[in-house]
Amino acid sequence: MSNPFVQIVEPLDAKQPLKKFFNLSKLEDARYGMLTTLGKHLVSFDEHLLPVWLQVSVLSLRTSAEFVLPFFLLSHCLIIFYYSGVPAVVDFAAMRDAVKKLGGDPENINPICPADLVIDHSIQQNTLLFQWGSQAFKNMRIIPPGSGIIHQVNLEYLARVVMDQDGYYYPDSVVGTDSHTTMVDGLGVLGWGVGGIEAEAVMLGQPISMVLPEVVGYKLLGNPQPLVTSTDIVLTITKHLRQVGVVGKFVEFFGPGVAQLSIADRATIANMCPEYGATAAYFPVDDISIGYLVQTGRDKEKILCTKKYLEAVGMLRDFKNSSQDPDFTQVVELDLHTVVPCCSGPKRPQDKVAVSDMKKDFETCLGAKQGFKGFQIAPDRHNSVIKFNFEGCDFELAHGSVVIAAITSCTNTSNPSVMLGAGLLAKKAVEAGLTVKPYIKTSLSPGSGVVTYYLRESGVMSYLSQLGFDVVGYGCMTCIGNSGPLPDSVVEAIVQGDLVAVGVLSGNRNFEGRVHPNTRANYLASPPLVIAYAIAGTVRIDFEEEPLGINASGKKIFLKDIWPTRNEIQAVERQFVIPGMFKEVYQKIETVNESWNALDAPSDKLYTWNPKSTYIKSPPFFDGLTLALQTPKTIEDAYVLLNFGDSVTTDHISPAGNIARNSPAARYLTSRGLTPREFNSYGSRRGNDAVMARGTFANIRLVNKFIDKQGPQTVHFPSGETLDVFDAAERYKQAGHPLIVLAGKEYGAGSSRDWAAKGPFLLGVKAVLAESYERIHRSNLVGMGVIPLQYLPGEDARTLGLTGRERYTIIIPENLKPQMNIQIKQDPTNHSLSHFNSHFFL
């Protein structure tokens, strides 16, 4: 098929006639007459300026035989989108695919789209597969273990902003198997998280079908106060947009306030897009974006071409020019000057708490009813104190005591301002004579080696180390539950007093059971605040009225005495965060890991599975697969495996932390000859379906309505026994009984884990009945053949009188379509129970 739009192709530079781009301003065709202009700063339609991401979508479509620019389709989609509100499905062709911790069968992957992989598995067994993959497939780049977090590496190194491919320039775009792929939106590269099956399709060069989303404009005004960090800003935005309601929508930032934010600040805001529920959080490219490319050591010639192309297609934004502001379906505003220092918690990232209110808020949560903001501790136990001994010294723990303090996660470690802020605060704290109690588990896990470089060169690394914040590695670490064990005496004290111990981390998620099984309260905070709470040793402190600590001379040191100002931080950043650092780190990123280099990977076309490996095994998902598409079948007489309330996250469904010694996964590994020291984490063993199936619904904070306490158990109704979830599912499977799950709102929120869909599939779950779903998890369920059914408006388990002890027959028609009403019958009376609205996309 020839490209019908060759008439709008022209060279970007007359000196390089073979380097071309599509000049949309030259599009002259009667079929597109309804589009008044295309190719100015934004796509203009009937004097309305449309969001930038729509132009990115148009220009990102490939021009090969497989992908022809569908301007006619896009014009009609724009009409539908802006004037009728009728959903329209479009194909988006991402330019790159970022895959983190890939698990599954790689034999049929033949990447047409570049795939950037960051591996953080056990090197000895897991990475052999990836070393083989890097040789077996074209256009696949693998970033070895220990190099950083994919999102930060993407921002600092992999992102192009503008692609130069097959002789054409296009806007860079990326989809990834982690929901925080959105971080690169802060640089003006359109990206978001998708399910693993969608990501594999992109690897194979296929576009992603999506409903044209509503775009919410988020207008930023004013300047941040001197003591406010980008973390405070993003936690404020997260709470605000959760209240607004942006699930399934795109958010595009605009307004003069954007110009006050660095790219690192914007990336921090874009990173937490999943926490406020949006699909993407896009910052159009401006001169600050171009400056970031220079700062991070990108090629000068490529930077010049990037800017020239963006100017040619009208996509270089001036945020101070209000005439360039788009028309959105909805606009919300935030004055940056109103943002105050804050944290979020104790159980959800959207539950913002001003630092000035932390003490009061935590104490309120102690006695409140069990829930997102409650622990239901009896009033007479609020001031319980447990004494314990650690390394020969006596200490005390109470409710609110900090036992984990971690500077972690790409959300903040990619941002030099908050990292240097933490370093400067540490320097002042040490010089003032402050220390951190030795039993507190402190750690620093940057997202790239560049962070270590500028912390060392600026002279603050030694002060961080003196407070216990040594570099423990480059990866997600505590943010994803890989904090490691607490000291035994600390755990014993927590258990003895039934204490609500606290973890404080600079991460993006703090759902129950995610950070550590013994920290029931977990707060997200900026890196400087992580250090502050570590020094204080508790969150039950009012920093305005109470000292952070008392030094050896008896002097009271307040937080305000050592908190660095924004100007102090920026001065250090300008001096020490330089292009040479990025160039030096990333020039050797693919060769720096000697263990990786020493691997002797097989060179066969097909991978040879090692039957002795407990990390990676041949997956069962293609067993019984037929060439012909099978007709969907009715689900008959299904039992309910689990009955949930609201906000069951992928951390509840598919844990990523340590493997508990009394769990089904532990019993399996023991049977394979492993000791508890060798169990490692679920995240490291995600290539082994036998482990991951046993780890499904294994979160110790799981709340199942069938059980009167938290824990990974359920009722096996035929016998009436209470069993571990995996054991109950196995009994159902052996008896030939299908299973379903009942849930409330926001089922599957959190990380975009394939195993949160693969695990239930392996347990025999055929469908989920929920009030609403997180977008990526719903897609993953569909990809695994688990039907995500949604109650009709105004209905839920309570209004329908469902207890979960019934048996269900879900009638699946042969002509199954998205958003079709599905009939469900209830046994034993077999009367019609309800009609559930199916919200899934095939």
Side-chain angles (χ1 to χ4, degrees):
M1 182 186 298
S2 62
N3 193 308
F5 298 100
V6 293
Q7 74 273 17
I8 66 170
V9 173
E10 65 179 50
L12 182 63
D13 187 335
K15 297 178 181 179
Q16 295 180 304
L18 298 181
K19 297 285 188 177
K20 304 174 184 178
F21 76 107
F22 284 88
N23 188 344
L24 299 186
S25 64
K26 288 189 173 183
L27 190 62
E28 297 176 358
D29 190 303
R31 291 176 297 173
Y32 318 116
M34 297 188 72
L35 290 171
T36 56
T37 61
L38 278 164
K40 293 189 178 179
H41 181 78
L42 298 164
V43 179
S44 179
F45 179 68
D46 286 351
E47 299 181 355
H48 292 281
L49 295 176
L50 299 180
V52 172
W53 90 268
L54 289 171
Q55 189 173 10
V56 174
S57 300
V58 174
L59 293 170
S60 293
L61 290 169
R62 290 174 175 81
T63 57
S64 65
E66 292 86 357
F67 295 96
V68 176
L69 285 171
F71 293 113
F72 183 70
L73 170 64
L74 259 295
S75 66
H76 280 77
C77 285
L78 296 178
I79 296 166
I80 293 169
F81 176 57
Y82 260 82
Y83 291 98
S84 73
V86 176
V89 177
V90 296
D91 287 342
F92 180 81
M95 304 302 292
R96 293 186 295 120
D97 200 355
V99 182
K100 178 187 178 187
K101 292 188 279 189
L102 180 67
D105 187 349
E107 293 182 5
N108 294 318
I109 297 176
N110 178 23
I112 297 173
C113 176
D116 301 314
L117 311 184
V118 169
I119 313 303
D120 57 2
H121 292 304
S122 168
I123 290 178
Q124 292 183 354
Q125 293 190 51
N126 285 15
T127 55
L128 192 64
L129 171 66
F130 296 99
Q131 181 73 284
W132 165 81
S134 67
Q135 302 169 14
F137 304 124
K138 296 187 300 181
N139 214 12
M140 177 181 285
R141 171 185 291 175
I142 294 186
I143 308 299
S147 304
I149 304 172
I150 180 62
H151 312 307
Q152 188 162 343
V153 175
N154 193 15
L155 181 73
E156 296 175 349
Y157 175 58
L158 297 173
R160 283 78 152 171
V161 180
V162 171
M163 299 287 290
D164 177 1
Q165 182 172 307
D166 300 328
Y168 288 92
Y169 291 105
Y170 304 98
D172 188 7
S173 58
V174 62
V175 294
T177 55
D178 188 279
S179 52
H180 293 107
T181 301
T182 53
M183 184 174 185
V184 79
D185 287 346
L187 183 56
V189 175
L190 183 60
W192 66 87
V194 297
I197 293 175
E198 289 176 294
E200 289 175 5
V202 172
M203 284 185 178
L204 293 167
Q206 298 301 307
I208 294 174
S209 293
M210 56 184 292
V211 175
L212 196 65
E214 180 181 345
V215 183
V216 175
Y218 200 92
K219 189 172 186 177
L220 295 176
L221 304 165
N223 297 311
Q225 297 184 50
L227 302 183
V228 164
T229 68
S230 59
T231 312
D232 303 321
I233 296 172
V234 71
L235 295 181
T236 301
I237 290 174
T238 297
K239 179 178 181 179
H240 186 197
L241 285 177
R242 271 292 174 186
Q243 292 172 335
V244 170
V246 292
V247 174
K249 302 176 184 179
F250 278 42
V251 175
E252 188 170 305
F253 292 85
F254 72 108
V258 177
Q260 306 302 318
L261 302 177
S262 68
I263 294 303
D265 292 338
R266 299 176 195 181
T268 298
I269 295 168
N271 179 285
M272 284 194 70
C273 171
E275 280 64 57
Y276 42 86
T279 299
Y282 188 68
F283 287 83
V285 180
D286 66 350
D287 284 333
I288 294 177
S289 313
I290 301 299
Y292 180 82
L293 297 178
V294 175
Q295 182 190 36
T296 50
R298 261 71 165 205
D299 182 86
K300 292 182 180 179
E301 288 298 320
K302 291 182 179 179
I303 294 174
L304 290 173
C305 288
T306 294
K307 185 173 184 180
K308 189 170 184 177
Y309 169 77
L310 293 170
E311 289 174 336
V313 296
M315 291 178 61
L316 192 64
R317 174 69 69 85
D318 177 2
F319 288 104
K320 296 180 180 179
N321 184 351
S322 61
S323 68
Q324 296 182 1
D325 292 349
D327 283 349
F328 297 101
T329 56
Q330 180 183 4
V331 172
V332 291
E333 295 184 358
L334 174 68
D335 184 346
L336 293 173
H337 192 71
T338 64
V339 177
V340 298
C342 57
C343 301
S344 279
K347 301 180 183 182
R348 297 191 304 180
Q350 63 262 41
D351 294 329
K352 186 195 76 167
V353 185
V355 170
S356 58
D357 296 332
M358 273 286 285
K359 180 178 181 179
K360 180 181 178 181
D361 187 81
F362 179 83
E363 291 176 347
T364 299
C365 290
L366 273 182
K369 183 180 178 181
Q370 182 71 37
F372 300 129
K373 295 286 288 186
F375 298 100
Q376 208 161 333
I377 303 296
D380 61 348
R381 293 180 45 240
H382 283 198
N383 296 313
S384 298
V385 175
I386 304 297
K387 297 182 178 181
F388 70 101
N389 186 276
F390 178 74
E391 295 182 346
C393 297
D394 292 328
F395 296 97
E396 294 180 347
L397 284 183
H399 295 296
S401 291
V402 175
V403 294
I404 291 177
I407 299 176
T408 181
S409 169
C410 53
T411 305
N412 285 289
T413 66
S414 63
N415 193 322
S417 66
V418 293
M419 296 302 291
L420 288 169
L424 291 172
L425 185 140
K427 180 177 184 293
K428 293 183 178 185
V430 170
E431 291 173 344
L434 298 177
T435 60
V436 174
K437 294 179 177 64
Y439 63 81
I440 297 177
K441 194 174 189 69
T442 51
S443 61
L444 168 59
S445 52
S448 82
V450 175
V451 180
T452 310
Y453 203 147
Y454 64 66
L455 290 177
R456 185 176 62 246
E457 291 298 308
S458 62
V460 299
M461 181 64 85
S462 61
Y463 296 101
L464 288 164
S465 296
Q466 288 180 63
L467 293 180
F469 290 90
D470 293 293
V471 175
V472 295
Y474 299 90
C476 299
M477 305 296 182
T478 301
C479 186
I480 202 170
N482 293 333
S483 61
L486 293 172
D488 290 342
S489 58
V490 172
V491 173
E492 290 168 3
I494 293 171
V495 173
Q496 179 186 340
D498 190 27
L499 299 178
V500 180
V502 176
V504 184
L505 65 153
S506 64
N508 46 46
R509 288 186 177 141
N510 54 343
F511 300 122
E512 288 183 290
R514 177 184 177 97
V515 175
H516 193 280
N518 295 113
T519 57
R520 289 158 68 182
N522 296 281
Y523 288 93
L524 307 181
S526 66
L529 277 177
V530 170
I531 295 177
Y533 280 112
I535 294 171
T538 180
V539 295
R540 297 174 80 172
I541 180 173
D542 182 344
F543 287 131
E544 292 293 325
E545 304 294 333
E546 302 172 63
L548 192 60
I550 301 175
N551 64 17
S553 302
K555 181 181 179 181
K556 294 181 179 179
I557 308 298
F558 287 82
L559 181 58
K560 61 186 177 182
D561 299 329
I562 64 172
W563 191 269
T565 66
R566 202 172 181 89
N567 288 338
E568 286 180 85
I569 296 168
Q570 289 174 348
V572 176
E573 183 177 351
R574 283 192 296 268
Q575 183 178 356
F576 293 103
V577 183
I578 57 178
M581 290 182 176
F582 293 89
K583 288 181 179 179
E584 183 174 336
V585 168
Y586 285 113
Q587 278 176 352
K588 57 186 180 181
I589 191 170
E590 295 179 40
T591 59
V592 71
N593 190 315
E594 294 300 329
S595 299
W596 168 266
N597 298 337
L599 286 174
D600 184 18
S603 58
D604 299 338
K605 185 176 181 180
L606 297 181
Y607 185 73
T608 303
W609 301 99
N610 179 4
K612 296 181 180 180
S613 174
T614 56
Y615 280 93
I616 285 186
K617 63 188 289 286
S618 179
F621 304 116
F622 295 117
D623 295 349
L625 194 67
T626 61
L627 289 176
L629 186 64
Q630 299 296 302
T631 302
K633 298 179 180 178
T634 290
I635 302 168
E636 297 184 1
D637 293 330
Y639 282 95
V640 176
L641 179 63
L642 295 151
N643 189 0
F644 294 129
D646 296 339
S647 295
V648 171
T649 71
T650 51
D651 287 289
H652 293 110
I653 305 169
S654 176
N658 292 333
I659 297 173
R661 296 187 179 190
N662 61 346
S663 65
R667 294 195 292 272
Y668 167 78
L669 292 172
T670 299
S671 72
R672 296 294 302 268
L674 275 66
T675 64
R677 288 188 61 185
E678 299 170 306
F679 287 171
N680 211 325
S681 66
Y682 285 111
S684 70
R685 294 188 180 276
R686 63 189 301 155
N688 187 322
D689 60 273
V691 173
M692 296 305 290
R694 288 165 172 80
T696 302
F697 299 115
N699 189 303
I700 64 170
R701 302 297 178 196
L702 195 73
V703 178
N704 176 13
K705 293 180 181 180
F706 296 150
I707 307 295
D708 59 4
K709 61 180 181 179
Q710 289 184 333
Q713 292 187 316
T714 194
V715 174
H716 178 252
F717 287 110
S719 67
E721 296 180 65
T722 298
L723 303 170
D724 288 332
V725 174
F726 174 80
D727 295 335
E730 281 295 289
R731 284 204 192 176
Y732 283 123
K733 185 183 295 185
Q734 291 168 6
H737 297 310
L739 298 170
I740 64 171
V741 170
L742 299 183
K745 300 180 182 69
E746 298 178 347
Y747 182 74
S751 302
S752 56
R753 294 185 186 153
D754 287 0
W755 274 109
K758 293 175 180 175
F761 168 80
L762 293 177
L763 295 185
V765 174
K766 304 299 183 183
V768 177
L769 312 185
E771 293 179 54
S772 64
Y773 295 85
E774 194 279 333
R775 173 186 58 85
I776 298 177
H777 183 62
R778 180 178 59 194
S779 175
N780 283 337
L781 288 173
V782 172
M784 294 309 302
V786 178
I787 304 176
L789 298 170
Q790 188 165 320
Y791 294 96
L792 291 181
E795 295 184 346
D796 55 31
R798 182 186 59 81
T799 62
L800 295 172
L802 307 184
T803 66
R805 297 175 182 272
E806 309 87 359
R807 296 180 71 177
Y808 296 78
T809 294
I810 302 174
I811 300 173
I812 306 297
E814 291 187 4
N815 64 334
L816 187 64
K817 297 178 181 179
Q819 302 190 30
M820 174 183 286
N821 283 5
I822 300 297
Q823 186 181 25
I824 299 178
K825 292 184 177 181
Q826 177 191 24
D827 285 339
T829 58
N830 204 39
H831 65 276
S832 181
L833 174 66
S834 175
H835 294 278
F836 291 85
N837 193 9
S838 171
H839 285 281
F840 62 98
F841 302 96
L842 301 178

